[in-house]
Amino acid sequence: MSTIAENIANVRERIQRAAAVADRDPDTITLMAVSKTRPASAIRDAWAAGVQNIGENYLQEALEKMATLSDLPLTWHFIGPIQSNKTKTIAEHFDWVHSVDRLKIARRLSDQRPEHLPPLNVCLQVNISGEDSKSGVSLVELPELANAVAALPGLRLRGLMAIPAPAATSAARRAPLAALREAQAKLDLPLDTLSMGMSDDLAEAIQEGATMVRIGSALFGARDYSTTLTHSERGSN
């Protein structure tokens, strides 16, 4: 069985190959380890292998890991759906939030960000494939939301995030990623982050300009949900 360190080395090699094809500097692409349902020990192994950015979907689960790993200089990213009653805790504990798709949520995060902390880095989640089951702002509503969020004092709008629908071919995987890149380019804002690309579409995302890729199974192996906390035990989000 591959170790987490070996998996990270393999993913970094994939990033380097994709960056070379796209004529990009691989150092401009941040690797985020998506660690939902994984134990704190796995995150510690990832940090030992050079990964600092950690993405979590479930708030209560993340808080427990933060407490266990408080000795490590990790950067914590919240990437799951956000309910209004969770914004205060998210604003207090995370460095980044990638799943902002409503102005109400953004305002709450801004108002509840502690004054002693720097502004909370946020990305707007875009429903780039137009799926009814997916969260995210539409491309039509994106400019208005982006301008409003950029003006909030407790936040720093960094860019856009998307989770495209699965696709069978490389060309089909690239199309929504290109659409996200083009949507960000049209915004008249100083944005520097495209949070897109997961284990299955890593190369295509880098070719389309991803600056942060969110990788879970390729680092930690396939998830076994039967041995992890239930949704109620994690705390709903």
Side-chain angles (χ1 to χ4, degrees), residues 37-61:
T37 77
R38 313 296 184 169
S41 59
I43 299 174
R44 192 174 292 276
D45 289 345
W47 176 82
V51 175
Q52 178 183 355
N53 291 271
I54 305 299
E56 285 283 336
N57 294 65
Y58 305 117
L59 181 56
Q60 189 58 45
E61 181 184 328

Side-chain angles (χ1 to χ4, degrees), residues 30-32 52-57 62 66 75-80 94-98 212:
T30 297
L31 172 60
M32 180 205 303
Q52 178 183 355
N53 291 271
I54 305 299
E56 285 283 336
N57 294 65
M66 288 177 181
T75 300
W76 292 93
H77 302 249
F78 191 80
I79 59 176
F94 285 83
D95 304 292
W96 285 71
V97 177
H98 292 241
M212 190 174 292

Side-chain angles (χ1 to χ4, degrees), residues 201-223:
D201 61 354
L202 172 64
E204 289 87 355
I206 290 172
Q207 291 164 20
E208 293 298 342
T211 63
M212 190 174 292
V213 292
R214 310 181 306 273
I215 310 298
S217 60
L219 298 185
F220 299 114
R223 290 186 179 88

Side-chain angles (χ1 to χ4, degrees), residues 133-153:
S133 61
K134 287 274 180 69
S135 300
V137 63
S138 70
L139 287 174
V140 172
E141 297 170 328
L142 174 62
E144 182 179 0
L145 179 62
N147 287 319
V149 172
L152 295 174

Side-chain angles (χ1 to χ4, degrees), residues 68-110:
T68 302
L69 300 169
S70 60
D71 58 308
L72 300 183
L74 298 169
T75 300
W76 292 93
H77 302 249
F78 191 80
I79 59 176
I82 305 172
Q83 291 182 353
S84 295
N85 64 345
K86 302 297 176 71
T87 54
K88 185 175 187 295
T89 308
I90 291 171
E92 290 173 344
H93 289 86
F94 285 83
D95 304 292
W96 285 71
V97 177
H98 292 241
S99 45
V100 175
D101 62 0
R102 290 168 287 161
L103 184 56
K104 174 186 175 181
I105 293 296
R107 284 175 173 155
R108 290 178 65 89
L109 290 171
S110 177

Side-chain angles (χ1 to χ4, degrees), residues 145-223:
L145 179 62
N147 287 319
V149 172
L152 295 174
L155 307 182
R156 180 184 175 195
L157 180 59
R158 299 296 295 268
L160 306 181
M161 182 272 265
I163 307 172
T169 67
S170 180
R173 289 191 290 270
R174 286 188 68 166
L177 301 168
L180 190 72
R181 170 178 50 77
E182 292 164 359
Q184 177 156 303
K186 292 177 182 177
L187 298 174
D188 188 20
L189 294 167
L191 306 179
D192 61 9
T193 301
L194 272 174
S195 172
M196 61 186 193
M198 297 182 286
S199 295
D200 292 338
D201 61 354
L202 172 64
E204 289 87 355
I206 290 172
Q207 291 164 20
E208 293 298 342
T211 63
M212 190 174 292
V213 292
R214 310 181 306 273
I215 310 298
S217 60
L219 298 185
F220 299 114
R223 290 186 179 88

Side-chain angles (χ1 to χ4, degrees), residues 102-123:
R102 290 168 287 161
L103 184 56
K104 174 186 175 181
I105 293 296
R107 284 175 173 155
R108 290 178 65 89
L109 290 171
S110 177
D111 292 343
Q112 295 167 341
R113 181 68 167 174
E115 292 184 359
H116 71 277
L117 295 177
L120 180 63
N121 297 296
V122 299
C123 292

